[in-house]
Amino acid sequence: EANDPAAMSQMGICCQRKGDYAGAHKYWAKAAELGHAEAHYNLSVMYSEGYGVGVGRGKKKEWYHLEQAAIGGNLKARYTLGIREGWCSNHNSERANKHLIIAANQGHDDSMKKLKEIYASGMVGKEDFAAALRAHQAAVDATKSPQREVAAEARSKLGGNYGFL
């Protein structure tokens, strides 16, 4: 359907699976213009890895799309920002911890694992870690259902390749 960001993002995934990165970029760019967080995340990966755009080209675009994806609620983007802020580029542990805590609070397992590591190294406070742990568990508990378990099993049988998500 015209101007349906979810449909455009799905078309981008179809193109990406076929190796048509130009087509994927076109669809994800349009979906991102319409505010689709996953499309922003996929574009950030394209710019990061050079898929169809050339390696090392578009660092500003990569960060822009990564930030927009995180703002839009994409937890993998939020986690990635935390990792990059703390260890890859800016070495800003306070900002990195905030990103990881936000994602962990919403149930993102990798963010919680990373927070455990940095808590053990003394780089995040006991209160912040405990609060994130409680919020993470509450978010995980809130999403449990038989239907989600069936869907997860079906996704694993399909191979779980949904764009760069």
Side-chain angles (χ1 to χ4, degrees):
E1 197 169 310
N3 292 325
D4 180 348
M8 287 179 213
S9 183
Q10 200 59 41
M11 289 299 297
I13 291 168
C14 290
C15 290
Q16 181 263 329
R17 284 183 182 161
K18 292 188 266 183
D20 177 9
Y21 295 114
H25 186 277
K26 179 183 95 175
Y27 283 111
W28 285 333
K30 182 63 175 165
E33 283 177 24
L34 297 170
H36 197 269
E38 287 75 20
H40 276 294
Y41 179 74
N42 287 335
L43 286 169
S44 77
V45 173
M46 287 188 86
Y47 285 108
S48 172
E49 302 299 322
Y51 294 121
V53 294
V55 177
R57 300 181 67 210
K59 263 308 180 207
K60 286 182 182 179
K61 289 181 180 182
E62 172 193 347
W63 276 87
Y64 169 78
H65 287 294
L66 192 59
E67 289 171 348
Q68 291 302 306
I71 290 167
N74 184 290
L75 300 181
K76 192 164 184 177
R78 183 68 70 179
Y79 168 78
T80 302
L81 280 174
I83 297 300
R84 290 188 183 174
E85 289 280 358
W87 294 271
C88 297
S89 60
N90 298 339
H91 303 290
N92 185 337
S93 61
E94 183 178 328
R95 193 169 155 110
N97 292 350
K98 286 180 182 179
H99 286 301
L100 294 171
I101 288 169
I102 289 168
N105 286 350
Q106 295 176 32
H108 191 259
D109 292 333
D110 289 339
S111 295
M112 195 67 240
K113 288 175 190 171
K114 190 64 178 176
L115 281 172
K116 285 179 188 176
E117 288 176 26
I118 61 178
Y119 172 69
S121 70
M123 293 174 58
V124 68
K126 183 177 183 177
E127 299 81 22
D128 287 339
F129 177 72
L133 188 59
R134 286 189 302 273
H136 176 266
Q137 189 58 53
V140 169
D141 290 345
T143 61
K144 288 184 179 176
S145 74
Q147 294 87 351
R148 286 181 187 263
E149 290 174 20
V150 169
E153 186 177 326
R155 268 194 310 275
S156 70
K157 287 179 182 177
L158 292 173
N161 183 10
Y162 300 98
F164 298 115
L165 299 175

